[in-house]
Amino acid sequence: MLSTEDLALLEAIRESGSLSKAAARLGKAPSTVSHAARQLESRFDALLFDRSRYRLRLTPAGQLLALEAARLTLDVSRLTRRVKQIAGGWEDRLCIVTDEIMEFETLLPVIKAFDRLQSGVTLRITHEMLGGTWEALRDGRADLVVGATNEPPVIAKLRWFELGVIEWVFAVAPGHPLARAKEPLEPEAVAAHRAIMVADSSRRPDVRSYGVLGGQAALAVPGMLAKIHAQREGLGVGWLPRERVRSLLKSGALVEKRMADPREPNTLYVAWRGDHEGRALAWWLDQLRQPRLTARLVNGLDRFA
Amino acid sequence: MLSTEDLALLEAIRESGSLSKAAARLGKAPSTVSHAARQLESRFDALLFDRSRYRLRLTPAGQLLALEAARLTLDVSRLTRRVKQIAGGWEDRLCIVTDEIMEFETLLPVIKAFDRLQSGVTLRITHEMLGGTWEALRDGRADLVVGATNEPPVIAKLRWFELGVIEWVFAVAPGHPLARAKEPLEPEAVAAHRAIMVADSSRRPDVRSYGVLGGQAALAVPGMLAKIHAQREGLGVGWLPRERVRSLLKSGALVEKRMADPREPNTLYVAWRGDHEGRALAWWLDQLRQPRLTARLVNGLDRFA
DNA sequence: GGACTCGTTCGAAGGTATCGAACATGTTAT
DNA sequence: ATAACATGTTCGATACCTTCGAACGAGTCC
């Protein structure tokens, strides 16, 4: 194959346009370079050097080789770095999947801190909706999930801890008919109005349509933030995460309604497969155990404050 | 860097799960393989082999290296082929640009014949409209242009020969008002009807709108074939290449009209830059000098016969 | 024309890869 | 439990490859 010395030789000849000048540059004897050039030609079974004139130069084939050898050398040095990375206990890449209710910006400082480690680990952070987080972990699409809801399913070698608890509030716009309805609201009263629910982009059943009654009209929106907006505009009703609409409730832009059937809080989980633990995963798990970050992820950002 | 021996060693160990078995496979002494393994680890400054158990195995880092080394080896063998190709006088790639009026299928047998040469030269064949062929040659986007119209422009080292002559006919649908108009048709009579012209997909001025008069209504269509269809449907009028509509004229689906201002035939050219002549280009030029192929390209296919 | 440059060939020296023997440890079959 | 066999490492000797410097013929420049 090709060595760094081969590349250096080709580049020195290309740039100096002379074998003896190239040898001087490389700190080698001209005879060494001459011999090495012959060896290269023999190895590739191609004329790489034009000796028809006084000073030796690259043929077009030699030029192509010089160019491509440079690219290959880059490839190899990247590979060397990656191999060292892994030998040092870091992963090649880390895929983190969060529930879409969680705001990506909360993770930005963490990502920056991780970058400062200069581990070389490729990071990939994506969202999943509904039970999609557990699915991603099972399928191997995720190495780490943040904010998974429902009880942890049966997955080989699964490890997890609780992130926190998310509380729900049934809220309507002040001008919505249900805003003036007698409390606690009965299911029949709710069923007469359109429900707002988060669209399920996966093929799974609509797990996120909590409290939507049979036959009830529904509007599916692309995420929790969109759901908040839709309900604030009076387009429909449904459950919303309390901490994420706190200032809307306080300002009256949304009105909380007590329900005949209250909704239990949800526990959020951090989970990973225990058979693939590298330093990057360990680092992230450590961060996710920090109470301040945890609170921020669970409670979210009040985008309406 | 990496050698084919390095790759062979890594793969033999991975597949046999043992250093001594790998050595047997490679036809080498176990001590040689042991030493080579140590050298590899030293070169990458990483533990590539797990010696904690009876039989030596690859670490995750070693596995990544084995995988990536295989990919790199493939890269190098491709490069070796390319270098040999060029040293043998072939180009790395050949870009042929034809005028879009020419049917691609006419070139299929030529492409197949070229493939049979097994030169390794990458072939790229594209269309240009209007003066786009000359532009492609000047810009270096084309190595060879086929069917360029107008006089050859000033391009450094330009070489060319005539391919043939294309004749035009002013044709209208039988139900079109101009079909019954008195001959020869005067410009004023034509100007009252919509012109069909080939859309210019480049940024150049509309050179292909020959005979379109100022203020005349126009319909731009995506190519000569589309123009033929549009005129046959009576959507408008204009000049068409005589040989490509011969059977439509014969069947009466299109009616030829004599004009007060006849259109001169166009000369088509084959052109290339003379400073980059390899064996592939030479081969194609040779083919393009064959009278049968030339006639087919110039006269085209009568898709309506 | 003389001084210098260029690249090749050649023999010698230096560096690297490979072999086989010896050895310690682990595994398997009886 | 023991003997036979397997595994991988270390080490010295040998083989192979790379590099050097000297000598040389041909080209270039002042």
Side-chain angles (χ1 to χ4, degrees):
Chain A
M1 279 216 270
L2 283 164
S3 65
T4 41
E5 283 76 34
D6 292 330
L7 174 63
L9 180 141
L10 286 162
E11 295 201 335
I13 290 173
R14 205 189 74 236
E15 286 163 10
S16 57
S18 149
L19 185 142
S20 33
K21 284 192 169 66
R25 272 193 190 203
L26 299 168
K28 298 189 183 202
S31 60
T32 300
V33 175
S34 181
H35 185 262
R38 290 261 185 232
Q39 291 290 86
L40 254 191
E41 283 180 325
S42 170
R43 213 185 313 157
F44 281 89
D45 188 23
L47 268 185
L48 306 173
F49 306 98
D50 175 11
R51 293 173 182 84
S52 62
R53 307 209 281 176
Y54 187 56
R55 287 189 188 80
L56 178 141
R57 303 173 326 160
L58 294 180
T59 60
Q63 276 162 33
L64 174 73
L65 185 59
L67 276 181
E68 295 292 315
R71 184 180 60 79
L72 269 178
T73 302
L74 226 51
D75 252 4
V76 172
S77 66
R78 277 196 215 107
L79 175 58
T80 302
R81 248 183 281 135
R82 281 170 71 199
V83 166
K84 274 173 147 182
Q85 185 178 299
I86 290 183
W90 296 100
E91 297 88 327
D92 199 20
R93 60 175 54 87
L94 185 72
C95 301
I96 300 172
V97 172
T98 64
D99 188 275
E100 76 79 29
I101 198 174
M102 296 184 153
E103 297 85 1
F104 176 72
E105 45 264 56
T106 305
L107 292 178
L108 283 175
V110 190
I111 294 167
K112 280 179 186 170
F114 185 74
D115 286 349
R116 284 197 294 274
L117 297 182
Q118 298 198 305
S119 63
V121 175
T122 302
L123 214 41
R124 183 173 181 268
I125 302 177
T126 56
H127 282 168
E128 282 285 343
M129 293 171 168
L130 313 171
T133 46
W134 291 118
E135 206 173 307
L137 193 61
R138 184 194 282 112
D139 293 350
R141 279 183 287 119
D143 300 309
L144 172 64
V145 296
V146 184
T149 55
N150 304 324
E151 286 293 305
V154 177
I155 297 179
K157 303 276 173 63
L158 182 69
R159 305 284 306 284
W160 54 265
F161 61 80
E162 289 185 11
L163 188 63
V165 170
I166 197 167
E167 294 182 346
W168 302 92
V169 57
F170 194 92
V172 300
H176 194 277
L178 281 184
R180 298 182 301 279
K182 183 177 173 15
E183 292 176 342
L185 293 187
E186 301 290 344
E188 301 81 45
V190 175
H193 300 276
R194 183 166 64 178
I196 307 291
M197 54 190 199
V198 174
D200 177 10
S201 60
S202 71
R203 302 110 321 228
R204 286 183 55 88
D206 196 346
V207 189
R208 187 54 67 85
S209 46
Y210 188 89
V212 179
L213 306 168
Q216 187 179 4
L219 170 63
V221 295
M224 186 53 71
L225 187 59
K227 191 182 184 196
I228 296 171
H229 277 297
Q231 287 185 212
R232 178 193 174 188
E233 293 301 317
L235 300 185
V237 297
W239 296 92
L240 297 174
R242 181 181 296 279
E243 291 301 322
R244 285 174 168 81
V245 292
R246 178 172 292 280
S247 66
L248 288 181
L249 292 172
K250 188 167 184 178
S251 71
L254 279 173
V255 178
E256 178 176 1
K257 303 298 298 182
R258 266 188 306 108
M259 307 297 289
D261 301 321
R263 180 174 185 179
E264 297 294 322
N266 278 108
T267 304
L268 300 182
Y269 300 90
V270 167
W272 67 100
R273 277 170 284 118
D275 58 354
H276 283 84
E277 295 191 18
R279 286 169 71 178
L281 179 59
W283 187 91
W284 274 86
L285 290 175
D286 193 50
Q287 295 302 306
L288 290 167
R289 286 186 172 110
Q290 306 302 319
R292 284 181 55 190
L293 178 61
T294 298
R296 280 223 206 78
L297 286 169
V298 173
N299 298 330
L301 303 180
D302 191 344
R303 295 187 192 272
F304 308 93
Chain B
M1 279 219 271
L2 282 166
S3 64
T4 41
E5 283 77 35
D6 292 329
L7 174 63
L9 179 141
L10 287 162
E11 294 200 338
I13 290 173
R14 206 189 74 235
E15 287 164 7
S16 56
S18 146
L19 184 142
S20 35
K21 282 191 172 61
R25 272 192 190 205
L26 299 168
K28 297 189 184 200
S31 60
T32 300
V33 174
S34 181
H35 185 260
R38 290 264 185 227
Q39 292 289 88
L40 252 192
E41 283 179 326
S42 170
R43 213 185 315 157
F44 281 89
D45 188 22
L47 268 185
L48 305 174
F49 305 99
D50 175 13
R51 295 173 181 85
S52 61
R53 306 211 283 178
Y54 187 55
R55 287 188 188 83
L56 179 141
R57 303 173 326 160
L58 294 180
T59 61
Q63 276 162 33
L64 174 73
L65 184 59
L67 275 181
E68 295 292 316
R71 183 180 61 77
L72 268 180
T73 302
L74 226 50
D75 248 7
V76 172
S77 66
R78 278 197 214 106
L79 176 59
T80 302
R81 247 182 282 136
R82 282 169 71 199
V83 166
K84 274 172 148 184
Q85 182 178 304
I86 289 182
W90 297 99
E91 297 87 329
D92 199 20
R93 61 176 52 86
L94 185 71
C95 300
I96 301 172
V97 173
T98 65
D99 188 277
E100 76 80 30
I101 198 175
M102 297 185 154
E103 297 85 1
F104 175 72
E105 44 262 59
T106 305
L107 291 179
L108 283 175
V110 190
I111 295 167
K112 281 180 186 168
F114 185 74
D115 287 349
R116 285 196 293 274
L117 298 181
Q118 298 198 304
S119 64
V121 176
T122 303
L123 214 42
R124 182 172 180 270
I125 302 177
T126 56
H127 283 169
E128 282 285 343
M129 294 172 168
L130 313 170
T133 45
W134 291 118
E135 205 173 307
L137 193 61
R138 183 193 284 109
D139 293 349
R141 280 183 286 118
D143 300 305
L144 173 64
V145 296
V146 183
T149 57
N150 303 324
E151 285 292 304
V154 177
I155 296 178
K157 303 276 174 64
L158 182 69
R159 305 283 307 280
W160 55 264
F161 61 80
E162 289 185 10
L163 188 63
V165 170
I166 196 167
E167 295 183 347
W168 301 95
V169 56
F170 194 91
V172 299
H176 194 276
L178 280 184
R180 299 181 298 280
K182 182 173 171 20
E183 292 178 339
L185 292 188
E186 300 291 342
E188 301 81 44
V190 175
H193 301 276
R194 184 167 61 178
I196 308 291
M197 54 188 195
V198 175
D200 176 9
S201 60
S202 72
R203 304 109 322 230
R204 287 183 55 86
D206 196 345
V207 189
R208 189 53 67 83
S209 47
Y210 187 90
V212 179
L213 306 167
Q216 188 179 2
L219 171 63
V221 295
M224 186 53 70
L225 186 59
K227 193 183 186 198
I228 296 170
H229 277 296
Q231 288 185 210
R232 179 193 172 186
E233 292 302 316
L235 300 184
V237 296
W239 296 92
L240 298 174
R242 182 182 295 279
E243 291 301 321
R244 285 173 169 80
V245 294
R246 179 174 291 279
S247 65
L248 289 181
L249 292 171
K250 188 167 184 178
S251 70
L254 278 175
V255 179
E256 176 175 2
K257 301 301 293 182
R258 267 189 305 108
M259 308 297 288
D261 299 323
R263 181 176 183 178
E264 297 293 324
N266 279 105
T267 304
L268 300 182
Y269 301 89
V270 167
W272 66 101
R273 276 171 286 117
D275 57 354
H276 284 83
E277 297 189 16
R279 287 168 69 179
L281 180 59
W283 187 90
W284 274 86
L285 290 174
D286 193 48
Q287 297 299 307
L288 289 167
R289 286 187 173 112
Q290 305 302 318
R292 285 180 55 190
L293 178 61
T294 298
R296 281 224 205 78
L297 287 169
V298 174
N299 299 329
L301 304 180
D302 191 342
R303 295 186 193 271
F304 308 93

